[in-house]
Amino acid sequence: MSRRTTTQSAPTLATVAEEAGVSRQTVSNALNSPDLLRPDTLARVQEAIDRLGYSPNRAARNLRTRASHLVGLRVDPAVEDSANSLMDRFVHALVDSTRTTGYHVLLFTADDQEDPVDGYDELLRSAAVDAFVVTDTYRGTPHSAFLAERGVPFVAFGRPWGDTTASHPWVDVDGRAGVMLAVDHLVGRGHRRVAWVGWQKNALIGEDRRSGWVDRMHEHGLSTTQLSARGEDTLEFGARAAKALLDADQAPTAFVCVSDTVAMGVLRTLHERGLRPGQDVAVVGFDDSIAAQVHTPALTSVRQPLEQVAVELVGFLGDLLAHRPIPEPGKVLTPTLSVRATS
Amino acid sequence: MSRRTTTQSAPTLATVAEEAGVSRQTVSNALNSPDLLRPDTLARVQEAIDRLGYSPNRAARNLRTRASHLVGLRVDPAVEDSANSLMDRFVHALVDSTRTTGYHVLLFTADDQEDPVDGYDELLRSAAVDAFVVTDTYRGTPHSAFLAERGVPFVAFGRPWGDTTASHPWVDVDGRAGVMLAVDHLVGRGHRRVAWVGWQKNALIGEDRRSGWVDRMHEHGLSTTQLSARGEDTLEFGARAAKALLDADQAPTAFVCVSDTVAMGVLRTLHERGLRPGQDVAVVGFDDSIAAQVHTPALTSVRQPLEQVAVELVGFLGDLLAHRPIPEPGKVLTPTLSVRATS
DNA sequence: GGGCATCATTTGATCGTTCCAGAGGGAGAC
DNA sequence: GTCTCCCTCTGGAACGATCAAATGATGCCC
């Protein structure tokens, strides 16, 4: 057994090399390209590594390889609504997917919340992260253009709506198809007057989801006139919209909502009017938030496959950082419908 | 204007030094101890930095200073319940608090979810993080003993319940006081038979909260017999417990619950029985989750000051990493009561 | 047995920063 | 004038890993 020159500090490559009786580079190869070593040497090095409890120093590795093996994710302040809870589920899924790839997720916030690109530059220039995951599932992804322009490597959760020139990898969920599932489900249960409660026209995601409602209703031979409301993503708007729709000539018997938050508003109105969700009137939300699941009665909702989104994004990240060509940089996943008591 | 030797790659200290006509070390000092420089030199260096858009390379700095300026936070897989949503609010608060300190939050998951200390070792040995924030707000903090034993620097959200020898910094929320707020509130509204729906006895946090109920009820001269139920943290348990309590001889007129999840179960039972929350029977939850806020009727709930918890923890982190003495390593914060429609 | 390709391993340089010791220059004291 | 001190700044070394190229060992063929 050879003596360790260092007594207190953590073992380094050199320590391991001495212990195993090989050179530094051989230890490095044992870690990074084990197939270069003769099996018996590899075993000897491995043993030394285990004995010393060695882990390569990340800072040194990062410096030499010019890579940090970190991906940045900007989390904006805790607005407590279902949008954020969706985001949180996504963060978990992302951390889970990166686990096996050797990457880690670094969270950051902008100093100036209004600036969509604040915070990215500094992290990239200082080589703190290799790339970013950008998410803006509600407004589209306005960051994208800026980041692409500056040559920042990133993958996006959310498609580049207007921008046909975008060439960054992205993954998105087919909101339109999700709403179609909801409409089919409701029509299958005998509903013919199915209302839409959505966002303002400038929200491209909202319009995409709405188009699922419009088209599917027409495919079923049903009318959509007088059955649509638009507003912000708040519980209050949902409540207001439901009131207005219920007061109209031909009140709807079902509501498809652009988000769970809005759906909760609809439920509140039904409650106030003594209408029983799932019996008198059906309601379907979007996002399958915790709030939807624990509500009484539990809310039927469109569920985004966030776990799969994360896996695909991490796959793209790997390609991007290895400079592998990405033939088809966009991927659209299909959501499912979690049927519960309100429909 | 001096010529840049490097054309493509990012500017380094040497680039800036050349540009400003000083040595590398002077640029380094301009960043780390500006008071060492003569004002005009400092200005010249600053100008060069701005002109070149220089940011110090973190890997190199980390290597030399043996510090990564990252704190690790283990997030376990997305169990979709209110406990997790609490955790998410905390993550946001933590990222926000670290923002001004130059620290960033690195998320990781364990390979083996059952092992409470898996994942920590490797990150620390590889110098990927300087310290950890550990959270286990439901079961107490079993990690603490292990981590402390191995000399891992960390701060905890949650007090070291049994362990009086623990010397790591921690911050916790006074659950007992929170429940007392709830009891006072309900008694003030005329309730005399206030039930407790809580966790099993081995959950120390649950017992702490419960003690608030027991003691406060007695202080008000009210009985607690036949008014307590214990079980897991699920909606189903809450529903079952409420049924049993309502079927007893002297049915309670109010429920104080150990969590929002459990409270949602109670609300479900009330709904099934046609009892109106807030009118016939009062309900108070714990955590002030989104689900509580958007429920109809909205749930009164005890709110933990997570933002403040995060600030205190980051303060402790700073002390810990600067090796400043920490005279009083524990801090207990007081929650508030968010009064809503169910009480 | 010499020549030559192949495999396994080593050696020296390098990434970009901070630490450390010391150099230069001006002010003040004698 | 020169000695000392202090302030400002500089140059070399080091952090711990990987890259690129050189070296030694091995086998094969004629």
Side-chain angles (χ1 to χ4, degrees):
Chain A
M1 201 173 296
S2 69
R3 64 224 120 98
R4 302 246 312 266
T5 46
T6 52
T7 47
Q8 281 289 8
S9 60
T12 72
L13 256 194
T15 325
V16 176
E18 196 190 349
E19 177 84 7
V22 295
S23 72
R24 297 191 317 277
Q25 185 59 45
T26 302
V27 179
S28 177
N29 286 337
L31 293 165
N32 301 317
S33 345
D35 50 314
L36 288 181
L37 300 203
R38 223 169 42 205
D40 61 319
T41 328
L42 180 59
R44 198 148 38 93
V45 174
Q46 274 297 356
E47 202 187 325
I49 288 175
D50 294 344
R51 193 159 48 233
L52 296 173
Y54 166 75
S55 295
N57 181 301
R58 279 204 162 68
R61 171 178 287 182
N62 294 350
L63 174 58
R64 187 64 244 232
T65 62
R66 299 165 170 286
S68 65
H69 295 274
L70 292 181
V71 290
L73 179 67
R74 180 170 142 173
V75 291
D76 286 328
V79 184
E80 294 184 41
D81 59 16
S82 71
N84 232 288
S85 99
L86 179 82
M87 182 61 187
D88 293 330
R89 226 184 95 210
F90 176 68
V91 171
H92 280 96
L94 190 66
V95 172
D96 235 34
S97 318
T98 47
R99 188 167 53 82
T100 51
T101 65
Y103 273 80
H104 283 287
V105 176
L106 177 118
L107 299 183
F108 68 103
T109 331
D111 289 320
D112 175 5
Q113 301 299 343
E114 294 310 308
D115 181 356
V117 287
D118 186 32
Y120 288 98
D121 253 356
E122 207 282 327
L123 283 173
L124 189 72
R125 278 202 317 241
S126 67
V129 302
D130 294 342
F132 295 95
V133 175
V134 316
T135 61
D136 193 342
T137 48
Y138 275 60
R139 281 165 292 170
T141 50
H143 311 30
S144 305
F146 280 91
L147 296 177
E149 193 179 309
R150 291 167 186 243
V152 175
F154 72 100
V155 298
F157 174 20
R159 68 196 91 171
W161 286 98
D163 191 357
T164 51
T165 64
S167 63
H168 64 269
W170 55 264
V171 177
D172 204 355
V173 173
D174 193 341
R176 176 184 154 89
V179 171
M180 285 179 163
L181 283 177
V183 172
D184 288 349
H185 168 69
L186 291 168
V187 170
R189 302 235 154 178
H191 292 278
R192 304 195 56 78
R193 294 194 61 75
V194 179
W196 172 255
V197 186
W199 294 325
Q200 260 110 356
K201 272 196 173 150
N202 53 5
L204 295 167
I205 298 174
E207 286 309 284
D208 178 59
R209 294 185 187 172
R210 188 175 186 278
S211 75
W213 169 73
V214 171
D215 292 357
R216 208 51 149 201
M217 286 292 279
H218 291 163
E219 285 172 36
H220 285 294
L222 299 172
S223 163
T224 55
T225 47
Q226 303 278 342
L227 284 173
S228 168
R230 296 181 202 255
E232 327 85 76
D233 189 43
T234 60
L235 193 139
E236 285 65 37
F237 163 67
R240 218 178 329 119
K243 278 179 195 151
L245 286 162
L246 287 170
D247 287 343
D249 278 352
Q250 301 242 20
T253 63
F255 292 85
V256 178
C257 305
V258 72
S259 75
D260 281 351
T261 308
V262 168
M264 288 291 167
V266 172
L267 288 172
R268 186 158 293 179
T269 289
L270 296 184
H271 182 258
E272 278 171 11
R273 303 206 166 183
L275 293 168
R276 291 163 305 168
Q279 296 173 320
D280 304 326
V281 177
V283 182
V284 178
F286 202 111
D287 279 350
D288 203 19
S289 60
I290 299 164
Q293 298 170 31
V294 301
H295 192 270
T296 302
L299 176 66
T300 295
S301 191
V302 176
R303 183 179 181 86
Q304 306 201 37
L306 297 187
E307 294 71 21
Q308 205 190 333
V309 170
V311 169
E312 298 290 351
L313 281 177
V314 170
F316 276 142
L317 262 180
D319 294 340
L320 190 69
L321 293 171
H323 300 103
R324 279 191 290 270
I326 301 173
E328 191 54 71
K331 205 166 257 183
V332 178
L333 304 179
T334 308
T336 55
L337 189 68
S338 298
V339 178
R340 300 213 179 79
T342 58
S343 67
Chain B
M1 198 176 297
S2 70
R3 66 222 120 97
R4 303 243 316 260
T5 46
T6 52
T7 47
Q8 282 287 9
S9 60
T12 72
L13 258 193
T15 325
V16 177
E18 196 190 349
E19 177 84 7
V22 294
S23 72
R24 297 191 316 279
Q25 186 59 44
T26 301
V27 179
S28 176
N29 286 336
L31 293 165
N32 301 317
S33 348
D35 50 313
L36 288 180
L37 301 203
R38 225 169 38 206
D40 61 319
T41 324
L42 180 59
R44 198 148 38 93
V45 174
Q46 274 297 357
E47 203 187 324
I49 289 175
D50 293 344
R51 192 160 48 232
L52 296 172
Y54 165 76
S55 295
N57 181 300
R58 277 198 159 78
R61 170 177 287 182
N62 294 350
L63 174 58
R64 187 66 243 225
T65 61
R66 301 167 171 285
S68 66
H69 294 276
L70 293 181
V71 290
L73 179 67
R74 180 170 142 173
V75 291
D76 286 329
V79 184
E80 294 183 44
D81 58 18
S82 70
N84 233 286
S85 97
L86 179 83
M87 182 61 188
D88 293 330
R89 226 184 95 210
F90 176 67
V91 171
H92 279 96
L94 191 65
V95 172
D96 235 33
S97 318
T98 48
R99 187 167 52 81
T100 50
T101 66
Y103 273 80
H104 283 287
V105 175
L106 178 123
L107 299 183
F108 67 103
T109 330
D111 289 321
D112 176 5
Q113 299 300 343
E114 292 310 307
D115 180 357
V117 287
D118 185 33
Y120 288 97
D121 253 355
E122 207 281 327
L123 283 174
L124 189 71
R125 278 202 316 239
S126 66
V129 303
D130 294 342
F132 295 95
V133 174
V134 316
T135 61
D136 193 342
T137 47
Y138 275 59
R139 281 165 292 172
T141 52
H143 312 29
S144 306
F146 279 92
L147 296 177
E149 194 179 310
R150 291 166 187 243
V152 175
F154 72 100
V155 298
F157 174 21
R159 68 195 91 172
W161 285 98
D163 191 358
T164 50
T165 65
S167 63
H168 64 269
W170 55 266
V171 178
D172 205 355
V173 173
D174 193 342
R176 177 183 154 89
V179 171
M180 285 179 164
L181 283 177
V183 172
D184 287 350
H185 168 68
L186 292 168
V187 171
R189 302 237 155 176
H191 293 278
R192 304 195 56 79
R193 293 195 61 75
V194 179
W196 171 255
V197 186
W199 294 325
Q200 260 110 357
K201 270 194 174 151
N202 53 7
L204 295 167
I205 297 174
E207 286 309 283
D208 179 59
R209 293 185 186 171
R210 187 176 187 278
S211 75
W213 169 72
V214 171
D215 293 357
R216 207 51 148 201
M217 286 292 280
H218 291 162
E219 285 171 36
H220 284 295
L222 299 172
S223 164
T224 55
T225 48
Q226 302 277 342
L227 284 174
S228 168
R230 294 181 204 258
E232 326 86 75
D233 190 43
T234 62
L235 192 139
E236 285 65 35
F237 163 68
R240 217 176 332 118
K243 278 179 193 152
L245 286 163
L246 288 170
D247 288 342
D249 278 353
Q250 301 242 20
T253 63
F255 293 85
V256 178
C257 305
V258 72
S259 74
D260 281 351
T261 308
V262 168
M264 287 292 167
V266 172
L267 288 173
R268 184 157 295 180
T269 290
L270 296 183
H271 183 258
E272 278 170 12
R273 302 204 167 185
L275 292 168
R276 291 163 305 168
Q279 295 172 321
D280 305 326
V281 178
V283 182
V284 177
F286 201 111
D287 279 350
D288 203 18
S289 60
I290 299 163
Q293 299 170 31
V294 300
H295 192 271
T296 302
L299 177 66
T300 295
S301 191
V302 176
R303 183 179 180 88
Q304 306 201 38
L306 298 187
E307 294 71 20
Q308 204 189 332
V309 169
V311 169
E312 298 289 351
L313 281 177
V314 170
F316 276 142
L317 262 180
D319 294 340
L320 191 69
L321 293 170
H323 299 102
R324 279 191 290 271
I326 301 173
E328 192 55 71
K331 204 166 257 182
V332 178
L333 304 179
T334 308
T336 55
L337 189 68
S338 298
V339 178
R340 300 212 178 79
T342 59
S343 67

